[in-house]
């Protein structure tokens, strides 16, 4: 068994990652979790894990502050983060992989397999090239996202999502086939994790898939007509940034 700990200041992210590991990576045994640099230092020194899954940004600093305090680093690392600008720096710490949120199941399993010996990766330049391509989000539309629900997790391909709508403490995920998923968590949680090359929050209560827009109508802020024939208002303060994104 691979003894692992999870470090992320977002409790839901730790919970989702733990569920994915339990369901798809049975060779991983999770021995604890932490939400910041201080708690992570204590946890790692106490449990001495084989593998640490960690976010980049966290309370009291970031992952690199944590690793500097633990040098020499005697465990393997898989970075799991919404930020895509730390990939090269991650190699300083011999990271096994660098996964972008929301975590893709296939990429997660492949990263764990590297440590378990099922995959031997000796081409460092190849690893770097693959990692950088991943952070650019070239295949973001093919990725699946795990949405937490009251009953567990729902896995949805990004290309199937038309829009997300805030509903109190929940978020409605509107899909291409007309189905809806009621996900736990606020819209802000998904705004931070979904690829910004594809999704844009046009209103306090709405985030849309830019690839699913039928048309844009002018007005104070204007509004968009989506593939599901919904009309979504564009907040006036977001109008200029939204139009710039459309032009790109």
């Amino acid at each position: 068994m691979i003894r692992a700990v999870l470090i992320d200041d977002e409790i839901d992210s730790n919970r989702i990652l733990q569920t994915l590991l339990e369901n798809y990576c049975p060779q991983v045994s999770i021995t604890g979790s932490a939400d910041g640099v201080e708690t992570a230092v204590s946890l790692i020194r106490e449990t001495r894990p084989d593998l640490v899954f960690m976010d980049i940004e966290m309370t009291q600093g970031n992952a690199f502050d944590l690793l500097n305090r633990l040098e020499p680093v005697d465990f393997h690392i898989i970075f799991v983060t919404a930020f895509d600008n730390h990939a090269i720096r991650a190699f300083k710490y011999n990271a096994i992989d660098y996964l972008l949120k929301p975590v893709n199941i296939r990429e997660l399993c492949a990263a764990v397999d590297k440590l378990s010996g099922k995959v031997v990766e000796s081409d460092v330049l190849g690893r770097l090239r693959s990692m950088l391509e991943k952070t650019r989000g070239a295949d973001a539309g093919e990725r699946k996202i795990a949405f937490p629900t009251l009953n567990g997790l729902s896995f949805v391909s990004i290309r199937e999502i038309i829009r997300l709508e805030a509903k109190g403490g929940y978020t409605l995920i509107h899909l291409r086939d007309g189905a809806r998923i009621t996900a736990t968590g606020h819209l802000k949680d998904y705004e931070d994790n979904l690829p910004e090359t594809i999704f844009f929050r046009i209103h306090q209560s709405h985030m849309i898939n830019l690839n699913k827009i039928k048309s844009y109508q002018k007005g104070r802020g204007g509004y968009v007509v989506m593939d599901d024939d919904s009309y979504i208002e564009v907040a006036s303060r977001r109008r200029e940034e939204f139009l710039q994104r459309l032009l790109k």
Side-chain angles (χ1 to χ4, degrees), residues 161-231:
I161 301 172
I162 292 180
R163 57 193 177 92
L164 297 88
E165 179 182 2
K167 284 290 183 182
Y170 297 90
T171 300
L172 295 181
I173 316 298
H174 297 264
L175 305 180
R176 187 169 62 176
D177 63 1
R180 294 192 309 182
I181 296 172
T182 301
T184 58
H186 296 88
L187 185 58
K188 174 65 175 174
D189 300 328
Y190 302 110
E191 180 184 12
D192 291 340
N193 291 329
L194 287 167
E196 62 178 15
T197 54
I198 296 177
F199 291 90
F200 187 85
R201 190 166 182 174
I202 61 173
H203 188 277
Q204 181 178 356
S205 301
H206 297 280
M207 183 161 59
I208 64 171
N209 184 333
L210 296 172
N211 295 325
K212 306 299 183 182
I213 299 174
K214 275 187 178 180
S215 64
Y216 167 73
Q217 304 296 325
K218 294 180 179 179
R220 181 181 178 187
Y223 63 89
V224 293
V225 181
M226 304 299 295
D227 279 356
D228 62 353
D229 292 324
S230 58
Y231 287 67

Side-chain angles (χ1 to χ4, degrees), residues 9-34:
D9 59 357
E10 297 179 354
I11 296 176
D12 283 346
S13 293
N14 270 340
R15 180 169 59 84
I16 291 171
L17 181 56
Q18 180 169 345
T19 300
L20 292 176
L21 289 168
E22 289 173 349
N23 289 336
Y24 297 96
C25 303
Q27 68 271 46
V28 176
S29 173
I30 300 170
T31 60
S33 62

Side-chain angles (χ1 to χ4, degrees), residues 50-54 67 73 75-79 90 93-98:
D50 305 307
L51 173 63
V52 175
F53 293 88
M54 66 171 67
L67 293 170
V73 175
F75 50 84
H76 297 282
I77 304 161
I78 295 178
F79 287 104
Y93 298 94
N94 195 29
I96 293 176
D97 216 327
Y98 184 105

